[in-house]
Amino acid sequence: MATNFGSSKEPLIGIENFGNRLRHLIGNDSVSSFAKSCGISTSTINKYIKPSKDMEKPTYPGIDKVLKISAYTGCSLAWLITGEEEKQVSDEEQQGRWMAVFKDMSFNQKSVALDSFKQNGILGTLNKDIFSKPR
């Protein structure tokens, strides 16, 4: 996505441009409407896009907030954080990753996962709270 915005010829790459990317995503929408849609407070979104003059450094979101913005906007986490798009992973690489996960599971875990997938599909198998659990 590494997009040029406005009349600037420089792409807005780097975490220091997070607020500019966020402003671009909000577009003509109101900050409060965008914030509500993301499930984040308006004051928090404002801190990201309009740092106060007395702050030495801009405020950046935590992972939980970036996940919410990504879920609402459909933008990748990589683009939101860095301004650069993630490289595309080949089917072979994805298959290798899944095989590594499957290999590390116990026999019982494999059986439960496969039964759950057969009954519920992938969305029913993965717990939506999986990202909030400590690793």
Side-chain angles (χ1 to χ4, degrees), residues 29-42 45 68 72:
D29 201 3
S30 72
V31 173
S32 60
S33 173
F34 180 85
K36 184 177 180 180
S37 296
C38 290
I40 301 172
S41 74
T42 301
I45 294 290
K68 288 180 177 188
Y72 173 65

Side-chain angles (χ1 to χ4, degrees), residues 50-115:
K50 296 185 267 186
S52 65
K53 293 178 183 177
D54 59 328
M55 294 173 58
E56 288 183 27
K57 295 180 181 178
T59 300
Y60 300 118
I63 294 170
D64 59 328
K65 303 294 191 280
V66 177
L67 280 171
K68 288 180 177 188
I69 294 167
S70 174
Y72 173 65
T73 63
C75 291
S76 74
L77 295 173
W79 184 80
L80 284 169
I81 296 167
T82 67
E84 297 179 11
E85 197 57 53
E86 296 175 331
K87 73 175 185 95
Q88 294 296 317
V89 178
S90 70
D91 286 344
E92 292 80 18
E93 190 174 351
Q94 286 180 352
Q95 185 177 16
R97 290 177 181 179
W98 279 110
M99 291 302 291
V101 168
F102 199 71
K103 180 182 168 198
D104 289 340
M105 296 170 80
S106 70
F107 179 81
N108 188 47
Q109 289 171 327
K110 291 174 187 176
S111 296
V112 169
L114 288 171
D115 288 344

Side-chain angles (χ1 to χ4, degrees), residues 101-135:
V101 168
F102 199 71
K103 180 182 168 198
D104 289 340
M105 296 170 80
S106 70
F107 179 81
N108 188 47
Q109 289 171 327
K110 291 174 187 176
S111 296
V112 169
L114 288 171
D115 288 344
S116 178
F117 180 76
K118 286 179 193 174
Q119 292 175 359
N120 307 306
I122 192 69
L123 295 178
T125 301
L126 296 177
N127 181 339
K128 69 178 181 176
D129 296 327
I130 198 168
F131 297 107
S132 64
K133 292 181 182 175
R135 295 180 138 221

